[in-house]
Amino acid sequence: NAGVTQTPKFQVLKTGQSMTLQCAQDMNHEYMSWYRQDPGMGLRLIHYSVGAGITDQGEVPNGYNVSRSTTEDFPLRLLSAAPSQTSVYFCATSVRRETEAFFGQGTRLTVV
Amino acid sequence: QQQVKQSPQSLIVQKGGISIINCAYENTAFDYFPWYQQFPGKGPALLIAIRPDVSEKKEGRFTISFNKSAKQFSLHIMDSQPGDSATYFCAASVSGNTPLVFGKGTRLSVIA
């Protein structure tokens, strides 16, 4: 089992470009979430989903969109990239929102 | 408002010493308190977790101490080893209600 797979691992974007960060899990977990990690800021929740077809905003949702059409996939879309979105992005899954989270390896995004 | 406050931001410990990381919270409804360990280039992984019905939980060299009245919990790493050098995050959640909220992290360096 792969667990939680994030692609790509690294990405450089120009300001204004759009892109989708992919997250796929084979753990059959209902709950999936996206975090961004910045130095000195810890892990901040962007969006989360409690099941297919259901999404909600976290602490820092502006500039990001998500959808959940299947249990396995939870893509994160940057609509118009800004330098402030330079960060490391982590996807996580868990049985329920408040239980142990299993994280992917992360995507390091640089917006220039 | 930061829901979980973690200190210190960084910590240097001699090999064989005790590493102590502290977290404080305000929301008395929190009932799940995990600690995550993150190595460079990797996603965080669950290290140990506690619920407020116990005051201490030990797993090998790692111990969580929980003080409900003070709304604080801490991670103790006994006989610290260079391989423990990583970033540690505390987190908290409310069962059936809120996603995990993370502290800002502590970068631990264990030197020989």
Side-chain angles (χ1 to χ4, degrees), chain B residues 26-100:
Chain B
E26 289 297 323
N27 186 350
T28 56
F30 284 147
D31 60 0
Y32 176 64
F33 303 92
W35 285 89
Y36 283 78
Q37 180 187 55
Q38 183 184 32
F39 293 105
K42 303 293 186 182
L46 180 67
L47 182 64
I48 186 173
I50 197 168
R51 293 195 182 271
D53 52 341
V54 296
S55 60
E56 185 175 283
K57 183 174 181 179
K58 184 176 181 179
E59 291 184 1
R61 297 184 293 109
F62 301 90
T63 299
I64 298 180
S65 297
F66 182 78
N67 186 329
K68 189 173 183 178
S69 60
K71 293 186 286 186
Q72 295 176 347
F73 58 109
S74 60
L75 176 69
H76 296 235
I77 306 174
M78 312 299 288
D79 186 26
S80 298
Q81 299 297 313
D84 297 330
S85 297
T87 299
Y88 293 81
F89 294 96
C90 62
S93 67
V94 180
S95 293
N97 192 327
T98 64
L100 287 171

Side-chain angles (χ1 to χ4, degrees), chain A residues 8-61:
Chain A
K9 288 186 169 53
F10 302 94
Q11 183 71 48
V12 178
L13 285 180
K14 293 183 178 179
T15 298
Q17 286 185 318
S18 63
M19 78 160 295
T20 299
L21 280 62
Q22 301 291 344
C23 176
Q25 56 111 349
D26 62 2
M27 308 176 78
N28 201 30
H29 286 166
E30 289 296 323
Y31 182 75
M32 297 186 74
S33 54
W34 277 101
Y35 290 87
R36 61 177 288 174
Q37 183 176 16
D38 303 290
M41 299 297 291
L43 293 157
R44 292 183 294 170
L45 183 64
I46 305 172
H47 284 285
Y48 64 95
S49 169
V50 298
I54 305 170
T55 63
D56 207 346
Q57 296 181 352
E59 178 186 358
V60 288

